[in-house]
mmCIF file of all heavy atoms in Angstrom:
data_model
loop_
_atom_site.group_PDB
_atom_site.id
_atom_site.type_symbol
_atom_site.label_atom_id
_atom_site.label_comp_id
_atom_site.label_asym_id
_atom_site.label_seq_id
_atom_site.Cartn_x
_atom_site.Cartn_y
_atom_site.Cartn_z
ATOM 1 N N THR Q 25 66.100 128.718 144.946
ATOM 2 C CA THR Q 25 65.930 130.085 145.435
ATOM 3 C C THR Q 25 64.870 130.066 146.533
ATOM 4 O O THR Q 25 63.965 129.234 146.528
ATOM 5 C CB THR Q 25 65.478 131.039 144.308
ATOM 6 O OG1 THR Q 25 64.214 130.611 143.798
ATOM 7 C CG2 THR Q 25 66.498 131.067 143.176
ATOM 8 N N HIS Q 26 64.992 131.015 147.469
ATOM 9 C CA HIS Q 26 64.130 131.020 148.647
ATOM 10 C C HIS Q 26 63.738 132.455 148.973
ATOM 11 O O HIS Q 26 64.615 133.301 149.194
ATOM 12 C CB HIS Q 26 64.857 130.365 149.830
ATOM 13 C CG HIS Q 26 65.425 129.023 149.470
ATOM 14 N ND1 HIS Q 26 64.723 127.851 149.626
ATOM 15 C CD2 HIS Q 26 66.616 128.696 148.902
ATOM 16 C CE1 HIS Q 26 65.466 126.837 149.184
ATOM 17 N NE2 HIS Q 26 66.615 127.323 148.754
ATOM 18 N N LEU Q 27 62.438 132.733 149.003
ATOM 19 C CA LEU Q 27 61.943 134.092 149.140
ATOM 20 C C LEU Q 27 60.979 134.226 150.317
ATOM 21 O O LEU Q 27 60.159 133.334 150.550
ATOM 22 C CB LEU Q 27 61.214 134.520 147.861
ATOM 23 C CG LEU Q 27 61.967 134.321 146.537
ATOM 24 C CD1 LEU Q 27 61.067 134.686 145.368
ATOM 25 C CD2 LEU Q 27 63.259 135.118 146.507
ATOM 26 N N HIS Q 28 61.075 135.372 151.030
ATOM 27 C CA HIS Q 28 60.213 135.603 152.193
ATOM 28 C C HIS Q 28 59.865 137.087 152.305
ATOM 29 O O HIS Q 28 60.559 137.948 151.754
ATOM 30 C CB HIS Q 28 60.921 135.166 153.485
ATOM 31 C CG HIS Q 28 61.228 133.704 153.533
ATOM 32 N ND1 HIS Q 28 60.310 132.763 153.934
ATOM 33 C CD2 HIS Q 28 62.365 133.028 153.210
ATOM 34 C CE1 HIS Q 28 60.866 131.560 153.869
ATOM 35 N NE2 HIS Q 28 62.108 131.694 153.440
ATOM 36 N N SER Q 29 58.796 137.370 153.072
ATOM 37 C CA SER Q 29 58.437 138.766 153.350
ATOM 38 C C SER Q 29 57.741 138.866 154.696
ATOM 39 O O SER Q 29 57.217 137.873 155.227
ATOM 40 C CB SER Q 29 57.518 139.322 152.261
ATOM 41 O OG SER Q 29 56.233 138.727 152.327
ATOM 42 N N GLN Q 30 57.735 140.085 155.254
ATOM 43 C CA GLN Q 30 57.063 140.360 156.530
ATOM 44 C C GLN Q 30 56.609 141.813 156.515
ATOM 45 O O GLN Q 30 57.287 142.711 157.007
ATOM 46 C CB GLN Q 30 58.007 140.082 157.706
ATOM 47 C CG GLN Q 30 57.311 140.092 159.063
ATOM 48 C CD GLN Q 30 58.260 139.728 160.190
ATOM 49 O OE1 GLN Q 30 59.479 139.880 160.085
ATOM 50 N NE2 GLN Q 30 57.699 139.230 161.275
ATOM 51 N N GLY Q 31 55.414 142.025 155.955
ATOM 52 C CA GLY Q 31 54.923 143.384 155.725
ATOM 53 C C GLY Q 31 54.605 144.167 156.977
ATOM 54 O O GLY Q 31 54.461 145.394 156.916
ATOM 55 N N MET Q 32 54.520 143.514 158.132
ATOM 56 C CA MET Q 32 54.211 144.241 159.361
ATOM 57 C C MET Q 32 55.295 145.264 159.715
ATOM 58 O O MET Q 32 55.050 146.198 160.476
ATOM 59 C CB MET Q 32 54.020 143.267 160.528
ATOM 60 C CG MET Q 32 55.257 142.508 160.941
ATOM 61 S SD MET Q 32 54.956 141.309 162.278
ATOM 62 C CE MET Q 32 54.629 142.426 163.654
ATOM 63 N N HIS Q 33 56.473 145.097 159.122
ATOM 64 C CA HIS Q 33 57.567 146.033 159.408
ATOM 65 C C HIS Q 33 57.842 146.978 158.231
ATOM 66 O O HIS Q 33 58.937 147.558 158.133
ATOM 67 C CB HIS Q 33 58.847 145.258 159.737
ATOM 68 C CG HIS Q 33 58.720 144.385 160.955
ATOM 69 N ND1 HIS Q 33 58.190 144.849 162.137
ATOM 70 C CD2 HIS Q 33 59.065 143.085 161.166
ATOM 71 C CE1 HIS Q 33 58.206 143.869 163.031
ATOM 72 N NE2 HIS Q 33 58.719 142.797 162.471
ATOM 73 N N ALA Q 34 56.868 147.130 157.340
ATOM 74 C CA ALA Q 34 57.066 147.921 156.126
ATOM 75 C C ALA Q 34 57.551 149.345 156.408
ATOM 76 O O ALA Q 34 58.400 149.878 155.687
ATOM 77 C CB ALA Q 34 55.769 147.972 155.319
ATOM 78 N N GLU Q 35 57.060 149.975 157.471
ATOM 79 C CA GLU Q 35 57.387 151.384 157.698
ATOM 80 C C GLU Q 35 58.672 151.586 158.494
ATOM 81 O O GLU Q 35 59.011 152.722 158.835
ATOM 82 C CB GLU Q 35 56.210 152.077 158.383
ATOM 83 C CG GLU Q 35 54.980 152.135 157.492
ATOM 84 C CD GLU Q 35 53.927 153.109 157.985
ATOM 85 O OE1 GLU Q 35 54.177 153.772 159.011
ATOM 86 O OE2 GLU Q 35 52.874 153.205 157.337
ATOM 87 N N GLU Q 36 59.404 150.503 158.753
ATOM 88 C CA GLU Q 36 60.701 150.635 159.433
ATOM 89 C C GLU Q 36 61.811 151.021 158.450
ATOM 90 O O GLU Q 36 62.882 151.455 158.850
ATOM 91 C CB GLU Q 36 61.072 149.327 160.143
ATOM 92 C CG GLU Q 36 60.064 148.848 161.157
ATOM 93 C CD GLU Q 36 59.876 149.807 162.321
ATOM 94 O OE1 GLU Q 36 60.741 150.686 162.528
ATOM 95 O OE2 GLU Q 36 58.855 149.689 163.033
ATOM 96 N N LEU Q 37 61.548 150.847 157.153
ATOM 97 C CA LEU Q 37 62.503 151.226 156.105
ATOM 98 C C LEU Q 37 61.661 151.597 154.896
ATOM 99 O O LEU Q 37 61.159 150.727 154.185
ATOM 100 C CB LEU Q 37 63.457 150.063 155.802
ATOM 101 C CG LEU Q 37 64.520 150.269 154.721
ATOM 102 C CD1 LEU Q 37 65.295 151.560 154.932
ATOM 103 C CD2 LEU Q 37 65.461 149.062 154.687
ATOM 104 N N ILE Q 38 61.515 152.895 154.654
ATOM 105 C CA ILE Q 38 60.453 153.329 153.738
ATOM 106 C C ILE Q 38 60.738 154.702 153.133
ATOM 107 O O ILE Q 38 61.415 155.536 153.732
ATOM 108 C CB ILE Q 38 59.100 153.378 154.513
ATOM 109 C CG1 ILE Q 38 57.912 153.558 153.582
ATOM 110 C CG2 ILE Q 38 59.139 154.453 155.595
ATOM 111 C CD1 ILE Q 38 56.567 153.417 154.281
ATOM 112 N N VAL Q 39 60.221 154.910 151.926
ATOM 113 C CA VAL Q 39 60.032 156.247 151.357
ATOM 114 C C VAL Q 39 58.535 156.380 151.120
ATOM 115 O O VAL Q 39 57.966 155.652 150.306
ATOM 116 C CB VAL Q 39 60.799 156.435 150.031
ATOM 117 C CG1 VAL Q 39 60.433 157.778 149.400
ATOM 118 C CG2 VAL Q 39 62.303 156.374 150.265
ATOM 119 N N LYS Q 40 57.881 157.269 151.830
ATOM 120 C CA LYS Q 40 56.418 157.348 151.801
ATOM 121 C C LYS Q 40 55.868 158.055 150.566
ATOM 122 O O LYS Q 40 54.791 157.727 150.081
ATOM 123 C CB LYS Q 40 55.905 158.048 153.061
ATOM 124 C CG LYS Q 40 56.072 157.214 154.326
ATOM 125 C CD LYS Q 40 55.369 157.871 155.501
ATOM 126 C CE LYS Q 40 55.442 156.985 156.743
ATOM 127 N NZ LYS Q 40 54.728 157.581 157.894
ATOM 128 N N ALA Q 41 56.558 159.055 150.071
ATOM 129 C CA ALA Q 41 56.030 159.833 148.947
ATOM 130 C C ALA Q 41 56.582 159.302 147.627
ATOM 131 O O ALA Q 41 57.661 158.712 147.607
ATOM 132 C CB ALA Q 41 56.413 161.301 149.117
ATOM 133 N N PRO Q 42 55.892 159.472 146.494
ATOM 134 C CA PRO Q 42 54.645 160.213 146.368
ATOM 135 C C PRO Q 42 53.408 159.452 146.831
ATOM 136 O O PRO Q 42 52.345 160.060 146.973
ATOM 137 C CB PRO Q 42 54.557 160.524 144.874
ATOM 138 C CG PRO Q 42 55.317 159.440 144.223
ATOM 139 C CD PRO Q 42 56.425 159.086 145.180
ATOM 140 N N GLY Q 43 53.482 158.165 147.052
ATOM 141 C CA GLY Q 43 52.412 157.409 147.679
ATOM 142 C C GLY Q 43 51.019 157.715 147.170
ATOM 143 O O GLY Q 43 50.218 158.334 147.870
ATOM 144 N N MET Q 44 50.725 157.302 145.954
ATOM 145 C CA MET Q 44 49.436 157.622 145.333
ATOM 146 C C MET Q 44 48.247 157.115 146.160
ATOM 147 O O MET Q 44 47.148 157.648 146.073
ATOM 148 C CB MET Q 44 49.359 156.993 143.927
ATOM 149 C CG MET Q 44 50.424 157.487 142.977
ATOM 150 S SD MET Q 44 50.264 159.235 142.599
ATOM 151 C CE MET Q 44 51.405 159.389 141.240
ATOM 152 N N GLY Q 45 48.459 156.069 146.950
ATOM 153 C CA GLY Q 45 47.352 155.509 147.718
ATOM 154 C C GLY Q 45 46.970 156.319 148.938
ATOM 155 O O GLY Q 45 45.886 156.141 149.499
ATOM 156 N N THR Q 46 47.852 157.212 149.366
ATOM 157 C CA THR Q 46 47.594 157.971 150.596
ATOM 158 C C THR Q 46 47.524 159.482 150.381
ATOM 159 O O THR Q 46 47.003 160.196 151.227
ATOM 160 C CB THR Q 46 48.697 157.684 151.639
ATOM 161 O OG1 THR Q 46 49.990 157.990 151.067
ATOM 162 C CG2 THR Q 46 48.680 156.213 152.049
ATOM 163 N N ARG Q 47 48.047 159.971 149.267
ATOM 164 C CA ARG Q 47 48.030 161.414 149.021
ATOM 165 C C ARG Q 47 47.686 161.678 147.556
ATOM 166 O O ARG Q 47 48.205 161.018 146.663
ATOM 167 C CB ARG Q 47 49.395 162.038 149.337
ATOM 168 C CG ARG Q 47 49.849 161.849 150.772
ATOM 169 C CD ARG Q 47 51.275 162.340 150.957
ATOM 170 N NE ARG Q 47 51.379 163.786 150.883
ATOM 171 C CZ ARG Q 47 52.549 164.429 150.808
ATOM 172 N NH1 ARG Q 47 53.679 163.759 150.784
ATOM 173 N NH2 ARG Q 47 52.580 165.740 150.768
ATOM 174 N N TRP Q 48 46.845 162.685 147.323
ATOM 175 C CA TRP Q 48 46.537 163.088 145.955
ATOM 176 C C TRP Q 48 47.701 163.912 145.402
ATOM 177 O O TRP Q 48 48.294 164.726 146.108
ATOM 178 C CB TRP Q 48 45.264 163.932 145.921
ATOM 179 C CG TRP Q 48 44.030 163.175 146.300
ATOM 180 C CD1 TRP Q 48 43.434 163.129 147.519
ATOM 181 C CD2 TRP Q 48 43.272 162.328 145.449
ATOM 182 N NE1 TRP Q 48 42.334 162.315 147.496
ATOM 183 C CE2 TRP Q 48 42.198 161.803 146.226
ATOM 184 C CE3 TRP Q 48 43.361 161.954 144.100
ATOM 185 C CZ2 TRP Q 48 41.249 160.932 145.691
ATOM 186 C CZ3 TRP Q 48 42.404 161.088 143.575
ATOM 187 C CH2 TRP Q 48 41.374 160.598 144.370
ATOM 188 N N VAL Q 49 48.015 163.717 144.148
ATOM 189 C CA VAL Q 49 49.087 164.492 143.511
ATOM 190 C C VAL Q 49 48.772 165.983 143.572
ATOM 191 O O VAL Q 49 49.653 166.813 143.816
ATOM 192 C CB VAL Q 49 49.273 164.045 142.047
ATOM 193 C CG1 VAL Q 49 50.253 164.974 141.335
ATOM 194 C CG2 VAL Q 49 49.783 162.617 141.981
ATOM 195 N N THR Q 50 47.534 166.337 143.370
ATOM 196 C CA THR Q 50 47.153 167.757 143.421
ATOM 197 C C THR Q 50 47.424 168.357 144.799
ATOM 198 O O THR Q 50 47.809 169.527 144.915
ATOM 199 C CB THR Q 50 45.669 167.917 143.066
ATOM 200 O OG1 THR Q 50 44.897 166.975 143.839
ATOM 201 C CG2 THR Q 50 45.426 167.657 141.591
#
């Protein structure tokens, strides 16, 4: 098996919410 990643393009395919790290639930 062979696995790779490239996080620099994370926001090219994304669901941002609920995103606890960037927005408070309240």
Side-chain angles (χ1 to χ4, degrees):
T25 61
H26 309 270
L27 309 175
H28 297 276
S29 70
Q30 191 176 24
M32 66 183 291
H33 299 312
E35 294 195 2
E36 302 297 343
L37 179 50
I38 191 172
V39 173
K40 290 188 176 182
M44 299 295 191
T46 56
R47 300 173 71 191
W48 294 97
V49 172
T50 49

